[in-house]
């Protein structure tokens, strides 16, 4: 048999629960916990509040901002890896069939230039429009894709400062293009012959590739400076 105090407690808890449910259903009560617990603070729709409508999410990062931030972090990592490389280190490679650091840096810059300027916007690449091909004495349409071992072996030594300047110009153009994109623009397919390469897929491709090559450069730099060049 239940004691009177226990029955009284159950009754009070039931009343409190009913009051809370009433306040929650009207949006009058607001949680102060984490975002997933604050559903009642955002208003409600058919009795169910959407977390995405919560005021805390109104300043959520957009896709454009995420991409810009990813590029900024990649550039930070890249500069840490290459800005103090010597000409000897740029030309060094750990094996005969490996790519030199200078070639890798040139290739990753050319790839970003090609995708955003030529492939998407159908306009001359920065490489050509600013005369970098003439400054470096290299072909206009070459970007390293499909290079043979002989082509890599004969690749010229490029000035690091000039390469970085070329990269800065490319990135400025890429970000300018990004700023003009709306949410639906990422679904656009620039070339019918490549239906799998939408604008969004190209951003994913470029971000993945520049991070990959930046990692290559950082690793090779560490390898070169821990005795690799003396072997």
């Amino acid at each position: 048999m239940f004691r009177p105090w226990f029955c009284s407690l159950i009754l009070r808890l039931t009343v409190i629960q009913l009051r809370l449910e009433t306040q929650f259903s009207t949006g009058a009560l607001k949680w102060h916990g984490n975002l997933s617990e604050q559903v009642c603070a955002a208003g409600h729709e058919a009795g169910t509040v959407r977390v995405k409508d919560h005021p805390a999410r109104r300043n959520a990062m957009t896709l454009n901002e995420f991409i810009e931030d990813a590029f900024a972090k990649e550039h930070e990592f890249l500069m840490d890896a290459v800005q103090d490389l010597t000409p000897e280190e740029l030309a060094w490679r750990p094996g005969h069939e490996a790519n030199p650091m200078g070639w890798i840096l040139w290739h990753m810059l050319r790839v970003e230039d090609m995708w955003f300027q030529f492939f998407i916007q159908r306009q001359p690449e920065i490489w050509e429009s600013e005369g970098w091909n003439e400054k470096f004495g290299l072909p206009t349409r070459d970007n390293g894709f499909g290079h043979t071992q002989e082509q890599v072996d004969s690749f010229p030594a490029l000035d690091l400062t000039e390469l970085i300047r070329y990269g800065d110009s490319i990135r400025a153009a890429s970000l300018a293009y990004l700023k003009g994109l709306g949410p639906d623009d990422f679904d656009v397919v620039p070339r019918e012959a490549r239906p799998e390469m939408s604008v969004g897929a190209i951003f994913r491709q470029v971000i993945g590739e520049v991070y990959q090559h930046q990692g290559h450069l950082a690793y090779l730099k560490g390898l070169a400076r821990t005795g690799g060049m003396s072997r």
Side-chain angles (χ1 to χ4, degrees), residues 11-210:
L11 178 60
R12 290 186 180 185
L13 289 175
T14 301
V15 171
I16 291 173
Q17 179 182 4
L18 290 173
R19 287 177 178 175
L20 288 174
E21 289 177 351
T22 300
Q23 289 176 302
F24 284 154
S25 66
T26 61
L29 188 64
K30 297 177 174 56
W31 288 103
H32 296 284
N34 60 42
L35 183 60
S36 64
E37 295 172 332
Q38 296 181 27
V39 292
C40 293
H44 62 91
E45 178 177 327
T48 302
V49 179
R50 298 174 298 178
V51 173
K52 68 178 182 178
D53 292 331
H54 189 277
R57 294 295 300 274
R58 290 174 186 167
N59 295 322
M61 178 180 284
T62 65
L63 177 57
N64 301 59
E65 291 169 339
F66 172 81
I67 293 173
E68 184 175 357
D69 187 62
F71 274 143
K73 181 57 66 175
E74 179 273 331
H75 185 264
E76 177 185 331
F77 290 154
L78 180 63
M79 289 301 99
D80 284 343
V82 306
Q83 63 185 352
D84 62 343
L85 289 176
T86 66
E88 292 75 22
E89 288 171 334
L90 280 171
W92 179 78
R93 47 184 172 171
H96 178 66
E97 296 184 357
N99 296 323
M101 285 188 271
W103 185 95
I104 295 172
L105 178 58
W106 167 80
H107 167 67
M108 66 183 288
L109 299 178
R110 292 291 295 116
V111 166
E112 181 177 341
D113 196 0
M114 180 276 294
W115 279 117
F116 292 130
Q117 302 304 313
F118 175 75
F119 190 90
I120 294 181
Q121 300 182 80
R122 297 176 180 268
Q123 62 189 22
E125 298 169 18
I126 303 298
W127 179 251
E128 178 184 4
S129 64
E130 294 188 0
W132 292 101
N133 57 328
E134 296 178 355
K135 293 176 184 177
F136 289 123
L138 292 171
T140 300
R141 295 294 302 138
D142 192 13
N143 53 38
F145 279 127
H147 266 197
T148 64
Q149 188 63 56
E150 290 72 23
Q151 286 176 296
V152 175
D153 290 342
S154 61
F155 192 77
L158 303 180
D159 182 80
L160 177 60
T161 301
E162 291 297 287
L163 270 176
I164 291 175
R165 287 183 56 218
Y166 169 53
D168 289 342
S169 188
I170 295 169
R171 185 55 55 83
S174 299
L175 293 176
Y177 169 69
L178 173 65
K179 287 184 182 298
L181 296 179
D184 295 336
D185 294 326
F186 290 96
D187 294 325
V188 172
V189 176
R191 307 264 180 168
E192 292 183 1
R194 297 290 303 276
E196 79 283 6
M197 297 308 292
S198 65
V199 170
I202 290 169
F203 271 102
R204 180 185 61 205
Q205 171 74 23
V206 172
I207 290 172
E209 185 153 356
V210 295

